[in-house]
Amino acid sequence: MGSAVLQWSSLSVRLVSVCLLCVSAGKQCQIRYEMADCSHLKLTQIPSDLPNNITGLDISHNQLRELGPANLTQYSQLVYLNAGYNIISKLQPDLCRNVPLLQILKLEHNELHKLPDRVFSSCTNLTELNLGYNRIDIKNDPFKNLENLNILDLSHNFLKSANLGVQQQLENLRELILNSNQITELQKEDFSFLSNTSLNSIDLSSNPLTEFHVGCLHAIGNLFGLILNNVELGENRTKKLCTELSNTAIQNLSLSHVKLSYIGKSTFQGLQGTNLTVLNLSQNSLSVIEDDSFQWLSSLQYLNLKRNNFHVSSRSFYGLSSLKYLNLIDSLNGKIEDFSFHWLYHLEYLIMDNNNFPGITANMFTGLHNLKYLSLCNCNINLQRITNKTFSSLANSSLHVLNLTKTRISTMESGAFSSLGHLKILDLGLNEISQELTGHEFKGLNNIQVIYLSYNKNVALRSESFIFVPSLRKLMLRKVGCSNLALSPSPFRPLQNLTVLDISNNNIANMKEDVFDGLHKLDILDLQHNNLDRLWKHANPGGPVLFLRSLTNLRILNLKSNGLDEIPVQVFKGLFQLKILDLGSNNLNVLPATLFDDQGSLNSLNLQKNLITSVEEKVFGPAFKSLRILEMDSNPFDCTCESIAWFAEWLNVTRAYVPGLRSQYICNTPAKYHGSLVLHFDSSACKDSAPFKLLFVITATTVMLLIFTVLIIHFEGWRVAFYWNISVNRILGFKELDIQQEEFHYDAYVIHARQDKNWVSKNFISLEKNPHFQIRFCLEERDFEAGVSEFEATVNSIKMSRKIIFVVTEHLLQDPWFLRSITLFSKLLNKDYKLYHALHLRRGMFRSRCILNWPAQKERVSAFHQQLVIALKSNSKAH
Ligand SMILES: *[C@@H]1O[C@H](CO)[C@@H](O)[C@H](O)[C@H]1NC(C)=O
Ligand SMILES: *[C@@H]1O[C@H](CO)[C@@H](O)[C@H](O)[C@H]1NC(C)=O
Ligand SMILES: *[C@@H]1O[C@H](CO)[C@@H](O)[C@H](O)[C@H]1NC(C)=O
Ligand SMILES: *[C@@H]1O[C@H](CO)[C@@H](O)[C@H](O)[C@H]1NC(C)=O
Ligand SMILES: *[C@@H]1O[C@H](CO)[C@@H](O)[C@H](O)[C@H]1NC(C)=O
Ligand SMILES: *[C@@H]1O[C@H](CO)[C@@H](O)[C@H](O)[C@H]1NC(C)=O
Ligand SMILES: *[C@@H]1O[C@H](CO)[C@@H](O)[C@H](O)[C@H]1NC(C)=O
Ligand SMILES: *[C@@H]1O[C@H](CO)[C@@H](O)[C@H](O)[C@H]1NC(C)=O
Ligand SMILES: *[C@@H]1O[C@H](CO)[C@@H](O)[C@H](O)[C@H]1NC(C)=O
Ligand SMILES: *[C@@H]1O[C@H](CO)[C@@H](O)[C@H](O)[C@H]1NC(C)=O
């Protein structure tokens, strides 16, 4: 019994190891330019079959146990060796004997404990040695030959002392990393091995240091930087530390998270006479800074006080006369006294994000003559209303950037920024601004280049909104609820230097043709997520609105999600510089030939999620010429010779990047190709098809005639009358009917499925009630004459109606006859792909303006009503 169990378990061990072998057998080292990457391969040895001339070897994340010079004999050119993240517990002496050129040796995350004598003795060319995350016991000056070493990392090693040797050594060391060890004190002689070294930085963070013995830091040749983050210093030890640093070369001191809750007048006294330029005091729960505490730091240029909790008094920053950068993010508590900053006459960057204080007072920023950048993002400081006083204390500064994002501004009064004549960038994004811009808000911003107003509540424009800021180059107005741009003259008219304009996400439904006139330098125009579809409709009263007409230098144009279903052929004429065009997520079906004739230098075209069925050379040829990215996926492609052959061939040979080419470019029709990839369309069958075309037409006509006859015989009632009606109208173009327009009782006869009766009554009757539209529908339930047969009633009603509306829903579509019928109006109960595309069965079957889609978004319903009315009132032929 017992032996059976044993056998079983040893068998399973064998199985596991076989499995591991399979896994690693499948992978191998990757070699790129003299660098071999053998990481993550579960290796137990350095492979012997790599090219001899590799200069880099990454063998990290494996299962190496031991490393000696013999293992590296083959690879004598190595400059870089990464053996980190293994289980190496043993190094052999003279490790670098066979790799004299080695400069970087990484051995972190191993199990090194005892280092053999002379282990690095030949590593004289080493500049970087990483021994972090081991358990190294330092004995006998292991690093003494490393005369070129710049960086030594011994972090996370349970070291009890910073003393790494007796003899003076490591003359070229610049960075010594000793964080996260068990060092409790710095003895006077600990650093004497560095007595001839100029250290840029020594990192002693996260050590339980409690004692700095006299002279401990003076033992180092030159000490420029000291990092002591996460060491429990408190006020007393900080003061002791500063005393130890006096008369050193210290320039950069980091004391983040050292429990320094209080800074007294003498805490930093020891630093007097040093050239300290950078001081990090972040994350200290600092609650008290005594007046004049920083008086000793006259060389300080960079002070980080992020994440504390102190009160700023008028003398808190006294003496910081060289300070250029002050970080006060999330650090202030209570009021900021007037003139607090006036000592800081060299300050250029003041960052005060994420604070709460009662407000900006009259002399808060007085004296900051050199301030260039002020950020008050996400501050809760009662800034609801910006007046001409708010920033008056900056009148003598040369502020270039003012960042007021998320400061809950709701109103800008006239002259709000008039003190900031040098300002170049004003960020007012993500606020609650709700007002009409009269123009005077920005008066005095004589050098402004960028105004960022995106994501505000309700910014209404008028013609004068930007008259005082003609120097503007970028104007961002995304999602500010400025839905009306039909202004004369256009509010953008004064902005002749504008290069970037973002008015996306505004539900804009109306603009004038001249809205962008004069913007000759405009480079980027963002118009996505608006309702511009009506403007480009052929049936728009007055014709399509060609608002892009003067943007001759436009490079990037975004028109995504605008409900566009028609594009006028002239709309992109003259836009020779266009590089990126996004027309995605619209309802485009047929694009006119020559539309893109001027877009020969287009790099990127997006037409994804439209209703495009055919991609023909006469439309897309010019646009595809120098294309680098095409996104035209998720369209119901019609994979017939005439619609797709050219495209399929282009896709097969193009070097452009076409994301989703092998998954998202799918034929919808004809049935033979339904669901297959456009790429797989066999265009060879299309060659030489011309002679057969005529035959096809003849045959098709015959078949159609036959079907028609069958229909006449088999269908009775209103369907025949109606089909007849439509056929006649298609041919005669409603001519005779239009002449006697006055005789029509109804604007339209509405055909729908019985199940949709309630929806139809609700929506159509409410449209009739709208006094602007003056429309009357003929609804079967309501308007049929009593006492007449249904057939007669239908025919009479159709005669009395100018147009016919089909409410196409799933219910109606269940009748196959409807699929072949002319569709005027489709209602989308849900976004069912099949239903949606059933309506656009084949290219050219319907004119696009005859098909109106019930909008998915509530906000577009009224725009939809408008479209419907235009369609009904227009005099066009076959509706
Ligand atoms: C180095 O060579 C020794 C002896 O051949 C071998 O045991 C060890 O696994 C080798 N180590 C590596 C990392 O290849
Ligand atoms: C390195 O060796 C490989 C073959 O082992 C050779 O193809 C390659 O040219 C060599 N590279 C250099 C820089 O000598
Ligand atoms: C260090 O590298 C140089 C070439 O960069 C080489 O000439 C020299 O011999 C190497 N040093 C040692 C001790 O091998
Ligand atoms: C200290 O280093 C300098 C060059 O960095 C060298 O000239 C000098 O001899 C060294 N002094 C000692 C005592 O090693
Ligand atoms: C700091 O030092 C002062 C006097 O030198 C002493 O009264 C105080 O208790 C010390 N604080 C701490 C936390 O050790
Ligand atoms: C501070 O810098 C000045 C000029 O750069 C220099 O003369 C002086 O020696 C430095 N002081 C210290 C303590 O390093
Ligand atoms: C600031 O606005 C007030 C009215 O709100 C006006 O009386 C005052 O003259 C303005 N001050 C400046 C400097 O424009
Ligand atoms: C303003 O600050 C926000 C938040 O930190 C940042 O996203 C934005 O880029 C800044 N604006 C400018 C102009 O620097
Ligand atoms: C527009 O830009 C030009 C060239 O950069 C500059 O000379 C001109 O002053 C600018 N116009 C305005 C109104 O700032
Ligand atoms: C695509 O190109 C390859 C060779 O470049 C050719 O063999 C193949 O027939 C082409 N396919 C189509 C659909 O044009």
Side-chain angles (χ1 to χ4, degrees):
M1 188 70 190
S3 80
V5 170
L6 199 72
Q7 263 176 2
W8 170 245
S9 60
S10 67
L11 178 66
S12 60
V13 167
R14 230 177 304 145
L15 280 177
V16 166
S17 60
V18 168
C19 256
L20 289 178
L21 271 180
C22 311
V23 170
S24 46
K27 300 188 203 159
Q28 39 174 281
C29 302
Q30 304 289 318
I31 302 181
R32 283 189 82 206
Y33 313 105
E34 278 95 57
M35 166 83 193
D37 179 358
C38 301
S39 61
H40 297 278
L41 292 176
K42 299 198 165 74
L43 298 175
T44 54
Q45 295 204 319
I46 294 178
S48 55
D49 55 352
L50 305 171
N52 289 337
N53 58 6
I54 52 169
T55 58
L57 173 60
D58 181 354
I59 188 124
S60 65
H61 299 271
N62 281 298
Q63 293 160 2
L64 310 186
R65 292 177 176 278
E66 192 178 343
L67 191 61
N71 303 97
L72 301 164
T73 332
Q74 272 179 296
Y75 307 119
S76 60
Q77 306 297 306
L78 281 184
V79 173
Y80 172 91
L81 175 61
N82 184 352
Y85 294 86
N86 277 287
I87 46 173
I88 299 171
S89 55
K90 200 167 169 208
L91 296 177
Q92 285 163 11
D94 217 1
L95 185 62
C96 302
R97 189 174 63 221
N98 300 316
V99 283
L101 307 178
L102 199 66
Q103 290 183 10
I104 298 176
L105 176 58
K106 291 164 79 69
L107 286 164
E108 69 269 27
H109 285 276
N110 275 295
E111 293 170 7
L112 296 171
H113 182 50
K114 294 238 178 326
L115 298 177
D117 279 351
R118 301 178 45 78
V119 58
F120 300 121
S121 61
S122 318
C123 300
T124 41
N125 272 333
L126 215 57
T127 57
E128 203 176 317
L129 176 59
N130 191 338
L131 292 165
Y133 293 89
N134 280 288
R135 301 179 290 122
I136 292 174
D137 186 20
I138 305 281
K139 277 207 181 90
N140 300 337
D141 291 43
F143 310 114
K144 72 169 179 251
N145 294 83
L146 300 177
E147 57 207 39
N148 288 304
L149 201 66
N150 289 162
I151 302 174
L152 175 58
D153 188 342
L154 278 162
S155 61
H156 295 268
N157 260 295
F158 306 97
L159 297 178
K160 296 225 150 36
S161 162
N163 189 341
L164 306 179
V166 182
Q167 300 174 29
Q168 182 247 304
Q169 54 192 287
L170 294 168
E171 286 84 0
N172 282 302
L173 199 66
R174 293 290 164 264
E175 209 174 308
L176 177 58
I177 302 163
L178 289 170
N179 65 286
S180 309
N181 279 295
Q182 306 280 317
I183 302 167
T184 53
E185 54 184 344
L186 297 183
Q187 306 272 5
K188 185 167 189 287
E189 304 299 329
D190 277 353
F191 287 126
S192 57
F193 70 100
L194 297 173
S195 61
N196 204 15
T197 304
S198 288
L199 268 189
N200 285 341
S201 142
I202 175 165
D203 187 351
L204 286 161
S205 300
S206 304
N207 274 293
L209 271 171
T210 52
E211 211 37 65
F212 301 96
H213 290 275
V214 175
C216 61
L217 296 171
H218 283 266
I220 301 170
N222 280 304
L223 177 61
F224 294 114
L226 176 59
I227 306 173
L228 281 167
N229 303 337
N230 308 313
V231 175
E232 276 197 39
L233 294 178
E235 200 270 327
N236 285 2
R237 264 179 239 134
T238 300
K239 189 169 166 179
K240 179 74 191 2
L241 171 73
C242 292
T243 311
E244 282 313 309
L245 283 168
S246 65
N247 299 318
T248 64
I250 192 79
Q251 291 179 352
N252 192 334
L253 178 60
S254 185
L255 301 175
S256 177
H257 200 249
V258 298
K259 302 219 164 145
L260 181 63
S261 59
Y262 168 89
I263 295 177
K265 264 196 185 62
S266 59
T267 306
F268 296 126
Q269 187 164 11
L271 296 170
Q272 183 185 23
T274 66
N275 283 338
L276 193 74
T277 47
V278 180
L279 178 59
N280 180 356
L281 294 171
S282 63
Q283 300 190 67
N284 273 311
S285 317
L286 188 53
S287 57
V288 178
I289 299 179
E290 271 188 19
D291 282 354
D292 305 351
S293 292
F294 295 119
Q295 62 178 306
W296 322 106
L297 308 179
S298 59
S299 299
L300 200 66
Q301 295 184 15
Y302 180 109
L303 176 57
N304 186 350
L305 285 163
K306 186 172 173 173
R307 299 196 42 208
N308 284 296
N309 191 28
F310 58 89
H311 163 76
V312 176
S313 81
S314 63
R315 293 187 71 89
S316 295
F317 297 123
Y318 168 76
L320 291 171
S321 54
S322 301
L323 204 66
K324 286 192 173 144
Y325 177 102
L326 178 56
N327 184 337
L328 292 174
I329 294 175
D330 191 13
S331 66
L332 304 178
N333 176 11
K335 185 167 171 282
I336 298 175
E337 288 175 20
D338 267 352
F339 299 103
S340 291
F341 297 116
H342 86 290
W343 318 105
L344 310 178
Y345 30 81
H346 285 118
L347 198 69
E348 292 176 13
Y349 297 86
L350 178 54
I351 298 153
M352 301 177 71
D353 302 352
N354 304 358
N355 281 301
N356 300 335
F357 52 90
I360 298 177
T361 48
N363 284 297
M364 182 152 149
F365 299 115
T366 302
L368 290 171
H369 295 305
N370 285 296
L371 200 64
K372 302 260 182 305
Y373 186 101
L374 174 59
S375 184
L376 289 162
C377 297
N378 200 23
C379 279
N380 188 359
I381 51 176
N382 292 309
L383 209 56
Q384 288 85 348
R385 180 167 281 271
I386 303 185
T387 70
N388 62 7
K389 301 240 163 48
T390 310
F391 293 111
S392 60
S393 58
L394 285 163
N396 293 318
S397 83
S398 50
L399 200 64
H400 285 177
V401 182
L402 176 58
N403 199 337
L404 296 172
T405 5
K406 285 203 200 168
T407 44
R408 307 170 194 208
I409 301 164
S410 61
T411 313
M412 302 173 287
E413 283 187 2
S414 134
F417 307 103
S418 53
S419 317
L420 308 177
H422 298 278
L423 204 64
K424 291 193 172 124
I425 301 176
L426 175 59
D427 194 338
L428 293 160
L430 294 154
N431 278 294
E432 288 151 28
I433 296 173
S434 180
Q435 69 187 92
E436 186 183 40
L437 297 182
T438 64
H440 289 266
E441 301 81 5
F442 301 132
K443 202 172 175 185
L445 288 173
N446 299 328
N447 288 291
I448 195 79
Q449 293 180 357
V450 182
I451 294 183
Y452 190 97
L453 263 167
S454 294
Y455 305 104
N456 271 289
K457 240 185 203 155
N458 199 339
V459 178
L461 302 184
R462 54 157 95 158
S463 295
E464 303 79 27
S465 292
F466 304 108
I467 46 167
F468 292 112
V469 285
S471 53
L472 215 53
R473 294 185 194 170
K474 293 188 188 175
L475 178 58
M476 315 303 252
L477 286 162
R478 173 176 300 188
K479 205 165 199 294
V480 295
C482 73
S483 54
N484 182 22
L485 271 183
L487 303 163
S488 273
S490 161
F492 309 122
R493 173 71 48 107
L495 307 179
Q496 307 280 316
N497 276 352
L498 206 62
T499 59
V500 180
L501 177 59
D502 183 350
I503 44 174
S504 59
N505 299 66
N506 279 311
N507 280 331
I508 298 169
N510 205 0
M511 299 196 294
K512 294 260 165 71
E513 197 146 55
D514 64 358
V515 61
F516 305 126
D517 273 12
L519 305 187
H520 299 299
K521 292 188 181 163
L522 202 66
D523 194 41
I524 301 177
L525 178 57
D526 280 324
L527 284 167
Q528 63 270 28
H529 297 283
N530 283 301
N531 287 320
L532 301 176
D533 53 333
R534 185 182 58 78
L535 299 184
W536 278 359
K537 275 189 204 303
H538 172 254
N540 183 51
V545 182
L546 306 176
F547 51 78
L548 302 173
R549 63 183 187 185
S550 64
L551 301 177
T552 45
N553 283 305
L554 202 61
R555 274 189 326 112
I556 301 178
L557 174 60
N558 193 339
L559 282 159
K560 200 190 198 82
S561 286
N562 264 288
L564 300 173
D565 55 4
E566 273 185 70
I567 299 197
V569 65
Q570 330 85 303
V571 83
F572 301 133
K573 290 284 167 290
L575 306 187
F576 292 102
Q577 308 301 321
L578 208 58
K579 295 275 183 292
I580 301 178
L581 175 59
D582 192 342
L583 286 163
S585 301
N586 282 295
N587 297 324
L588 296 168
N589 175 8
V590 183
L591 300 181
T594 77
L595 175 69
F596 297 122
D597 272 9
D598 290 352
Q599 276 69 60
S601 54
L602 207 60
N603 288 161
S604 162
L605 176 61
N606 187 331
L607 271 163
Q608 65 184 176
K609 297 185 187 149
N610 274 283
L611 301 170
I612 289 173
T613 48
S614 90
V615 185
E616 290 173 71
E617 184 170 19
K618 63 179 198 281
V619 181
F620 291 96
F624 283 10
K625 219 171 55 196
S626 47
L627 215 55
R628 292 203 215 127
I629 302 174
L630 175 67
E631 288 164 276
M632 212 196 254
D633 54 280
S634 314
N635 278 292
F637 295 109
D638 175 45
C639 293
T640 57
C641 288
E642 58 154 357
S643 302
I644 217 79
W646 176 77
F647 187 43
E649 276 172 27
W650 183 84
L651 286 174
N652 195 23
V653 299
T654 186
R655 306 183 69 170
Y657 172 53
V658 186
L661 179 59
R662 289 171 192 283
S663 55
Q664 307 294 316
Y665 287 72
I666 297 169
C667 303
N668 187 46
T669 52
K672 180 182 164 204
Y673 282 104
H674 181 84
S676 68
L677 288 178
V678 170
L679 203 57
H680 294 161
F681 177 76
D682 180 11
S683 58
S684 61
C686 303
K687 302 274 165 15
D688 311 316
S689 69
F692 298 106
K693 250 184 190 159
L694 187 65
L695 185 64
F696 170 75
V697 172
I698 293 167
T699 318
T701 315
T702 318
V703 172
M704 288 300 282
L705 266 174
L706 196 70
I707 291 173
F708 190 56
T709 320
V710 170
L711 277 175
I712 295 232
I713 295 165
H714 276 82
F715 286 86
E716 350 78 52
W718 56 272
R719 287 177 181 177
V720 174
F722 174 16
Y723 196 78
W724 176 245
N725 214 342
I726 286 164
S727 311
V728 167
N729 295 338
R730 256 287 193 202
I731 298 157
L732 302 180
F734 260 130
K735 275 247 168 62
E736 312 95 299
L737 296 177
D738 282 352
I739 294 167
Q740 2 164 326
Q741 238 175 42
E742 283 69 42
E743 287 176 26
F744 291 121
H745 234 82
Y746 306 108
D747 287 288
Y749 176 73
V750 182
I751 293 173
H752 58 84
R754 272 192 209 291
Q755 291 97 318
D756 297 326
K757 194 172 79 186
N758 291 339
W759 186 90
V760 168
S761 308
K762 181 171 144 244
N763 283 279
F764 282 78
I765 293 174
S766 77
L767 260 176
E768 281 184 346
K769 286 187 180 146
N770 188 327
H772 296 299
F773 296 155
Q774 300 203 356
I775 277 199
R776 185 157 162 76
F777 297 107
C778 179
L779 301 171
E780 200 175 316
E781 308 72 49
R782 187 186 63 182
D783 300 318
F784 269 24
E785 292 165 67
V788 188
S789 78
E790 194 180 341
F791 172 70
E792 234 179 293
T794 306
V795 174
N796 289 341
S797 301
I798 288 177
K799 276 189 187 161
M800 287 191 288
S801 305
R802 279 180 66 229
K803 310 228 163 142
I804 300 156
I805 292 176
F806 278 55
V807 181
V808 181
T809 64
E810 272 161 294
H811 297 137
L812 200 72
L813 279 175
Q814 265 144 28
D815 183 347
W817 190 82
F818 275 94
L819 271 178
R820 269 159 258 262
S821 299
I822 298 207
T823 313
L824 297 170
F825 167 32
S826 72
K827 170 206 152 201
L828 251 163
L829 285 175
N830 52 29
K831 236 189 157 77
D832 179 82
Y833 190 80
K834 263 199 182 145
L835 165 61
Y836 201 63
H837 292 290
L839 296 174
H840 299 271
L841 215 49
R842 291 293 277 271
R843 174 186 81 83
M845 190 153 164
F846 317 116
R847 292 164 194 221
S848 61
R849 65 172 183 281
C850 300
I851 302 164
L852 303 180
N853 295 309
W854 181 253
Q857 304 96 324
K858 255 199 176 137
E859 319 82 71
R860 288 204 173 153
V861 170
S862 68
F864 169 84
H865 285 161
Q866 199 85 38
Q867 290 175 339
L868 177 63
V869 173
I870 289 173
L872 288 176
K873 296 264 160 122
S874 70
N875 231 5
S876 50
K877 289 177 186 169
H879 273 286

